[in-house]
Amino acid sequence: MTDTLTLRRPDDWHLHLRDGAMLRAVLPESARDFARAIIMPNLVPPVVTGADAARYRDRILAALPEGSGFTPLMTLYLTEETDPADVAAAHANGLITAVKLYPAGATTNSASGVSNFDNVRGVLETMAEIGLPLCFHGEVTDPSVDIFDREDVFLDTVLDPLRRATPGLKVTLEHVTTSQGVDYITQADGEIAGTITTHHLMINRNHILAGGIRPHYYCLPVAKRATHQEALRRAATSGNPRFFLGTDSAPHLDAAKETACGCAGCFTATNTLSCLAHVFEEEGALDRLEGFTSLNGPAHYGLPANEDTITLVKSATPVDYPAQIATPNGPVTLFDPGHPLFWRVT
Ligand code: NCD
Ligand code: ZN
């Protein structure tokens, strides 16, 4: 039985760090195991310009634990007013790694996102020319579309036409949650990849809704039925380089989750690698974990894989994770996979 696993140090290709006290509380949880992360720009107000991203990067660097080598990879939040020249300048001076597109109203803090895709055509064409990747939140926002169908409908009505209209645009379909999303990424021509979250590999919609409503499993895109979870597990463990880890670790105060209208987001930064080793072992694919966490992402983004390594060890007794992370404004509950975890990062 394998009980030790050494991997190139992982990166997180989709992470919410927030700002202020929350940033200071959650950043060490990612910086401990990960070398780099794509930092989501959905602050209030969002990170829209190169100047915003430079200031946010400085706040993240200032909040890092002493001696940490963690590198935040910054993104800009695409709005219908985004200036292509500002995007190109932020890319040219190495400030940003990607641009994030939220369909307006799709998720937490997405009100300034895109409603009319014609209004961002110029920016997308510039991005295709300069080789700057687009990170796409893949859900339609039409209220008449069932929430469990919003990713599937997005593929044919938004993603595919947009990619055809902008040849050469490198796209990351963020947090894939459906078998249709997996099939699209697997079969599409051109430069496309999909991130998969930790929690979508471990839960399906029954975990949210059966036997009582569990707000800490509520995230967007919402987890789908078990057949989709199985498709995600197959994709993540397939070795296909188009799939890699984006935790979408998205902290919210417990008070904002455990309420009549709770926020979307699962906080997985602390135990993600234990969870992933558990899933990959269950799938008989521990030898493919490194590709998913540490190799496929850098290859898609045109960056070198990390040189240093981490080691995971499997023990007979469960890893003792805290139930919550403390912040000055109240606790943030850590994702609970619903069963013990035995792999830990040494
Ligand atoms: C994210 C957040 O809280 O910012 N929430 C979530 O459920 N994933 C936003 C997002 O990535 O959709
Ligand atoms: Zn997210």
Side-chain angles (χ1 to χ4, degrees), residues 160-239:
D160 201 59
L162 182 138
R163 291 185 64 242
R164 284 178 199 283
T166 325
L169 181 66
K170 187 188 274 198
V171 175
T172 314
L173 178 59
E174 304 273 78
H175 37 52
V176 184
T177 61
T178 60
S179 64
Q180 293 91 341
V182 167
D183 291 346
Y184 184 89
I185 290 162
T186 307
Q187 292 158 17
D189 295 329
E191 290 198 276
I192 183 156
T195 56
I196 300 179
T197 76
T198 309
H199 49 283
H200 287 113
L201 294 171
M202 300 192 94
I203 63 166
N204 58 62
R205 65 195 196 180
N206 277 4
H207 294 83
I208 311 172
L209 295 170
I213 188 157
R214 292 193 175 64
H216 295 289
Y217 289 151
Y218 173 61
C219 67
L220 288 170
V222 69
K224 312 298 191 293
R225 61 172 66 238
T227 47
H228 295 287
Q229 182 193 0
E230 287 154 19
L232 296 173
R233 281 181 165 239
R234 279 196 299 277
T237 59
S238 66

Side-chain angles (χ1 to χ4, degrees), residues 14-16 40 42 100 102 107 137 174-175 220 248-250:
H14 181 137
L15 177 64
H16 298 271
M40 287 295 129
N42 63 332
K100 176 75 186 224
Y102 292 99
T107 187
H137 181 105
E174 304 273 78
H175 37 52
L220 288 170
D248 195 15
S249 181

Side-chain angles (χ1 to χ4, degrees), residues 54-139:
R55 283 190 293 264
Y56 186 33
R57 183 178 62 181
D58 289 346
R59 295 197 296 279
I60 296 169
L61 293 174
L64 271 175
E66 187 102 355
S68 170
F70 179 82
T71 303
L73 303 174
M74 307 310 292
T75 61
L76 297 183
Y77 182 119
L78 184 59
T79 74
E80 293 183 16
E81 282 76 50
T82 294
D83 174 7
D86 183 56
V87 172
H91 171 69
N93 66 26
L95 176 64
I96 60 167
T97 302
V99 170
K100 176 75 186 224
L101 199 169
Y102 292 99
T107 187
T108 311
N109 305 337
S110 61
S112 330
V114 177
S115 302
N116 182 349
F117 289 87
D118 289 338
N119 292 340
V120 294
R121 184 152 312 284
V123 184
L124 297 178
E125 281 165 5
T126 297
M127 289 168 60
E129 272 163 38
I130 64 181
L132 179 61
L134 179 72
C135 295
F136 215 154
H137 181 105
E139 289 188 288

